[in-house]
Amino acid sequence: MVCTTTFQLNTGHQFPAVGLGTWQGKGTIDDENALESSIIHALQSGYRLVDTAQLYGTEHVVGRAIRNSGVPRSEITVVTKFWGHWHHDPAAALRISLEELDIEYIDVFLMHWPWATAPDRKPLRKDESPTFKETWTMMESLVGDKCRAIGVSNFTQKTLDELAETAKVTPAINQVELHALNPNHKLVEYCHEKGIVVMSWATLGGGGDSDTKEVILGHELFKTIAQAHGCSTGVVSLSWAVQRGINVIPKSGSHDRIEENISLVTLTDEEMDKINNAHKTIKSYRLAKGIQGLRMKVDGKDSLQMWTWQDFGWEDESGNWLT
């Protein structure tokens, strides 16, 4: 059965629990046509949320697919994100996304990461202007007919607390890496208490050089639960997240898999508990630490774009996880 669960944003709007991710679609014309076909199939199969970003280079394809889907624009929620070199001018970033998408308005506009770069893409330290707090202040004025809500991505309790010191608008969304090996139990509880809906990226383990995807799709824990429900291991993880009140945006070019990913099951309390503890019983892993092209050393420490793990609020100085 198609999942029709929604979560209420702090704006009052309903937000679908399951959406389609589009980051993998950037490439040739053939790739774009395949992505457009996937989005149209998803919308015609019951999906009512599409996630994209300026970095993905897919906004124009998302917009075209929506216009060609036959599904009314008013029924579809579109989330997009702007990159760090626009932190000095999010209004300009919004104009770019509106032009690329060409779908009248954006439902939720996200700051892709808390870190900023200069317009020439030079990374800036956490305390260099524009800080994410300064960028958020500029974003607050964007909310209106063309931008229905604003939010953040890759924020933690630490950065959300810092944001709240000056924010007049609470983020509607916080999109973060979240999967069984990085379940973010503390962060999710914090966001829910603040009325912030959590979106999950890499729910099925993501890509890169780690074995996270192989574990989440192939470990006996997930296979046993999948067998009990007559579904795939992917559906097990997606169902686990949605049962926790978290939005998921799985990506797939397969029409069959697209249909499968929105056909969720109800897990038992025992099954939920086993997956909730997989980061202890199997292993814990944070994919974001290994993002190629963003990693660099700062003051002798590992960082992403000049932000250390402590700057993000991922870990304390002793390496203890905080989210």
Side-chain angles (χ1 to χ4, degrees), residues 88-104:
H88 68 291
D89 193 355
L94 176 62
R95 289 193 293 271
I96 291 169
S97 286
L98 286 168
E99 183 175 343
E100 286 290 307
L101 285 160
D102 191 20
I103 51 172
E104 299 179 27

Side-chain angles (χ1 to χ4, degrees), residues 126 156-159 308-315 322-323:
K126 185 174 181 177
T156 63
Q157 305 98 300
K158 176 183 176 72
T159 44
T308 67
W309 311 156
Q310 290 73 39
D311 287 336
F312 282 112
W314 291 343
E315 298 175 4
L322 301 175
T323 59

Side-chain angles (χ1 to χ4, degrees), residues 26 33 131 155 230 317:
K26 186 177 182 180
N33 289 340
T131 66
F155 275 56
E317 291 290 349

Side-chain angles (χ1 to χ4, degrees), residues 154-308:
N154 299 302
F155 275 56
T156 63
Q157 305 98 300
K158 176 183 176 72
T159 44
L160 286 167
D161 274 341
E162 291 167 349
L163 186 67
E165 293 170 1
T166 54
K168 296 177 181 175
V169 176
T170 300
I173 294 289
N174 183 23
Q175 185 178 130
V176 297
E177 174 193 340
L178 189 151
H179 46 78
L181 306 185
N182 182 11
N184 285 305
H185 290 306
K186 295 176 183 177
L187 176 59
V188 170
E189 182 181 5
Y190 171 99
C191 287
H192 287 171
E193 288 175 354
K194 302 290 184 181
I196 301 170
V197 170
V198 176
M199 293 183 73
S200 162
W201 63 263
T203 321
L204 303 182
D209 299 328
S210 81
D211 66 347
T212 306
K213 186 171 185 175
E214 286 72 21
V215 171
I216 289 174
L217 296 182
H219 191 279
E220 196 61 34
L221 166 64
F222 304 98
K223 289 167 70 174
T224 300
I225 296 173
Q227 188 173 15
H229 291 272
C231 67
S232 69
T233 50
V235 166
V236 168
S237 276
L238 296 172
S239 300
W240 162 76
V242 171
Q243 267 182 248
R244 292 178 59 202
I246 298 161
N247 159 276
V248 294
I249 43 172
K251 305 168 290 292
S252 180
S254 161
H255 286 195
D256 288 344
R257 187 64 53 77
I258 286 169
E259 293 175 23
E260 177 183 282
N261 286 344
I262 200 172
S263 302
L264 304 189
V265 298
T266 301
L267 304 180
T268 67
D269 290 345
E270 182 181 3
E271 290 165 341
M272 288 292 293
D273 189 58
K274 286 181 178 179
I275 302 175
N276 281 338
N277 286 292
H279 66 296
K280 298 177 183 176
T281 59
I282 301 175
K283 70 172 184 176
S284 59
Y285 195 85
R286 190 181 300 278
L287 292 164
K289 287 184 178 180
I291 298 176
Q292 297 301 314
L294 300 183
R295 283 185 62 99
M296 58 185 66
K297 290 284 187 178
V298 57
D299 301 330
K301 293 183 177 182
D302 289 325
S303 81
L304 287 188
Q305 295 291 82
M306 305 285 283
W307 279 50
T308 67

Side-chain angles (χ1 to χ4, degrees), residues 5 17 24 41 96 113 290 306:
T5 300
Q24 63 189 5
H41 184 75
I96 291 169
W113 285 88
M306 305 285 283

